[in-house]
């Protein structure tokens, strides 16, 4: 028996209370609930009302995951945070979480940026560290404050995204919960989704007037994802790991567009009860969408534990990644919602 197998022992999530409906967006530009819902499946999204709430929810999601894992904050020996749209660049989100949780030890903590693929990349990093024996309890955080980086005069992008936070604890143990995991990137089509960083006022170099605003070539992204993701799940995630889709209980995809979720569902020939979607009332929460969907679905009884789920994230980079994970009993407990 090895003690270096990755066990997903706890998950947590937090959603802001401020709700913006499609009808609210009609006051900003020419759009309609019908257009947005029929193209995306989205009816409303939740936004952090301020930075203080974002940090409060970061701590809440992290504590949920740690409590579900049944460990103390001091047992965490690495914090990693997937964030491409943080509240601040420094201190990092992972270091901020270390402070908020009151962790006294000088454990390592770092952020990484892969947009909507954040949770899957985080799980891949945790998998490698746990199997190598370097760390025993890794806290993965996903934190994207999308609303901060959107142009709220642009009806093509600002309809899509919402804010939210996810958390997971991966611990070294005797059972393997990561049955398949893979990450990919194609930087040649990086211009499909961009978020430039403006220059400051350095007088010694050429500066630019770029705005720190997310822009997306929606149709290109849609085609890219629709071409790649269904095959990627069936061939790379399932077939290469000798996993029969019928032996997996749930599909928990990045919540980018209900039509993409439907396309993957049809490819896998899954019935509706196997497919988890909350895009209707949360929109696309970027790195957090898979963890939020997972936690919520367990809370609502849509996902039973123990069970197995296909996960897959995709987005800016372009980056994508997927896996099959075991959802063990107790990974998310209603009594730990606070
Ligand atoms: O998380 C990262 C991954 N992201 C994704 O997977 C997103 C993938 N892309 C999409 O889901 C879709 O491309 C969107 C939902 C973003 C957009 O749908 P679309 O069918 O690709 O629309 P479009 O951008 O091609 O626009 C079609 C028309 C345009 O009108 P014209 O120029 O043809 O006259 C737009 O101006 O729809 C218009 N339009 C809108 N109309 C009403 C665009 N946005 C809106 C809007 N309301 N909000």
């Amino acid at each position: 028996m090895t003690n270096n197998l990755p066990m997903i022992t706890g998950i947590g999530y937090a959603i802001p209370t401020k709700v913006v409906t499609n009808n609210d967006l009609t006051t900003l530009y020419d759009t309609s609930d019908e257009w947005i819902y029929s193209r995306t499946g989205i009816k409303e999204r939740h936004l952090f009302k301020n930075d203080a709430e974002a940090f409060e929810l970061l701590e809440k999601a992290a504590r949920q995951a740690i409590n579900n894992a049944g460990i103390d904050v001091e047992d965490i020996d690495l914090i990693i945070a997937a964030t491409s749209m943080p509240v601040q660049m420094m201190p990092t989100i992972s270091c901020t979480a270390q402070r908020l949780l009151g962790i006294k030890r000088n454990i390592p903590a770092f952020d990484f940026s892969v947009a909507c693929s954040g949770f899957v990349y985080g799980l891949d990093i945790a998998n490698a560290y746990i199997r190598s024996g370097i760390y025993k309890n890794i806290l993965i955080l996903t934190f994207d404050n999308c609303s901060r980086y959107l142009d709220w005069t642009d009806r093509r992008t600002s309809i899509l995204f919402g804010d939210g936070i996810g958390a997971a604890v991966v611990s070294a143990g005797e059972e393997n919960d990561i049955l398949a995991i893979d990450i990919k990137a194609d930087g040649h089509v990086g211009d499909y989704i961009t978020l430039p960083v403006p220059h400051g006022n350095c007088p010694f170099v050429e500066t630019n007037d770029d705005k720190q605003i997310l822009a997306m070539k929606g149709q290109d992204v849609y085609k890219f994802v629709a071409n790649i993701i269904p095959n990627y799940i069936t061939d790379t995630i399932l077939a290469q790991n000798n996993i029969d889709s019928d032996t997996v209980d749930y599909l928990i995809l990045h919540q980018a567009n209900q039509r993409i979720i439907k396309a993957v569902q049809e490819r896998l020939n899954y019935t509706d009860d196997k497919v988890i979607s909350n895009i209707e009332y949360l929109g696309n929460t970027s790195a957090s969408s898979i963890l939020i969907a997972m936690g919520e679905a367990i809370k609502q009884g849509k996902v039973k534990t123990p069970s197995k789920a296909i996960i897959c994230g995709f987005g800016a980079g372009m980056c994508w990644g997927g896996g099959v994970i075991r959802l063990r009993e107790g990974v998310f407990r209603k009594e730990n919602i606070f």
Side-chain angles (χ1 to χ4, degrees):
M1 279 286 204
T2 167
N3 289 322
N4 288 344
L5 291 175
M7 295 174 63
I8 303 169
T9 48
I11 57 177
Y13 70 91
I15 300 165
T17 47
K18 171 73 188 164
V19 178
V20 175
T21 65
N22 288 348
N23 282 333
D24 293 331
L25 297 181
T26 63
T27 64
L28 303 182
Y29 35 64
D30 181 16
T31 191
S32 65
D33 176 52
E34 198 282 323
W35 194 97
I36 300 171
Y37 185 65
S38 63
R39 301 279 173 128
T40 66
I42 300 169
K43 282 230 168 249
E44 56 189 45
R45 65 288 293 145
H46 292 227
L47 311 184
F48 298 139
K49 68 173 186 273
N50 54 33
D51 295 358
E53 184 188 47
F55 289 132
E56 201 180 295
L57 296 180
L58 174 66
E59 181 183 347
K60 181 175 154 178
R63 286 197 190 279
Q64 268 177 30
I66 293 166
N67 285 357
N68 284 324
I71 59 173
D72 186 78
V73 291
E74 293 298 340
D75 295 326
I76 300 288
D77 49 13
L78 171 68
I79 304 176
I80 57 176
T83 179
S84 305
M85 292 174 271
V87 164
Q88 63 202 18
M89 301 303 291
M90 297 177 211
T92 57
I93 296 301
S94 49
C95 284
T96 304
Q98 180 189 20
R99 174 180 63 78
L100 292 170
L101 293 168
I103 296 175
K104 294 191 188 69
R105 293 192 304 136
N106 297 330
I107 58 166
F110 65 89
D111 289 7
F112 60 100
S113 170
V114 280
C116 306
S117 311
F119 174 56
V120 182
Y121 267 67
L123 206 55
D124 188 75
I125 295 168
N127 182 46
Y129 271 134
I130 293 286
R131 286 180 189 275
S132 70
I134 297 177
Y135 299 113
K136 296 289 178 214
N137 293 297
I138 300 176
L139 176 63
I140 305 174
L141 299 167
T142 58
F143 181 109
D144 274 324
N145 187 184
C146 306
S147 61
R148 196 184 197 99
Y149 294 90
L150 296 168
D151 175 359
W152 289 91
T153 66
D154 176 7
R155 64 181 184 172
R156 287 171 189 260
T157 52
S158 55
I159 56 166
L160 297 171
F161 297 90
D163 299 332
I165 296 169
V169 172
V170 184
S171 298
E174 294 188 346
E175 288 170 48
N176 175 28
D177 290 343
I178 303 179
L179 307 175
I181 189 86
D182 180 79
I183 50 175
K184 295 268 188 289
D186 180 358
H188 300 284
V189 285
D191 65 329
Y192 285 180
I193 305 175
T194 53
L195 208 179
V197 179
H199 272 267
N201 61 354
C202 177
F204 305 110
V205 299
E206 279 179 32
T207 56
N208 64 40
D209 296 328
D210 283 349
K211 293 210 162 42
Q212 199 158 3
I213 277 171
L214 184 139
M216 183 168 77
K217 295 180 179 171
Q219 289 230 358
D220 289 334
V221 175
Y222 190 92
K223 282 183 209 147
F224 182 87
V225 170
N227 280 337
I228 286 189
I229 295 302
N231 288 342
Y232 174 67
I233 290 177
T234 54
D235 302 352
T236 306
I237 302 303
L238 295 173
Q240 281 183 22
N241 291 287
N242 296 316
I243 299 172
D244 183 338
S245 61
D246 290 343
T247 66
V248 184
D249 306 285
Y250 302 106
L251 170 69
I252 310 180
L253 212 58
H254 169 48
Q255 309 282 302
N257 188 314
Q258 187 59 34
R259 290 188 292 157
I260 295 172
I261 297 174
K262 191 82 191 158
V264 177
Q265 172 179 1
E266 282 167 7
R267 174 66 66 88
L268 293 169
N269 208 11
Y270 275 10
T271 48
D272 287 350
D273 56 316
K274 293 183 77 162
V275 181
I276 303 309
S277 170
N278 60 10
I279 191 170
E280 183 171 336
Y281 52 92
L282 290 182
N284 177 345
T285 55
S286 187
S288 300
S289 80
I290 294 174
L291 273 173
I292 295 176
M294 204 182 281
E296 250 201 353
I298 298 175
K299 180 182 161 198
Q300 293 164 355
K302 288 185 198 157
V303 161
K304 310 272 180 239
T305 53
S307 57
K308 285 186 231 163
I310 296 170
I311 56 168
C312 184
F314 46 84
M318 296 294 286
C319 293
W320 63 103
V324 176
I325 61 172
R326 227 190 273 277
L327 292 169
R328 59 180 52 249
E329 220 165 322
V331 69
F332 188 86
R333 284 180 274 219
K334 286 182 198 169
E335 62 266 28
N336 281 332
I337 306 275
F338 42 79

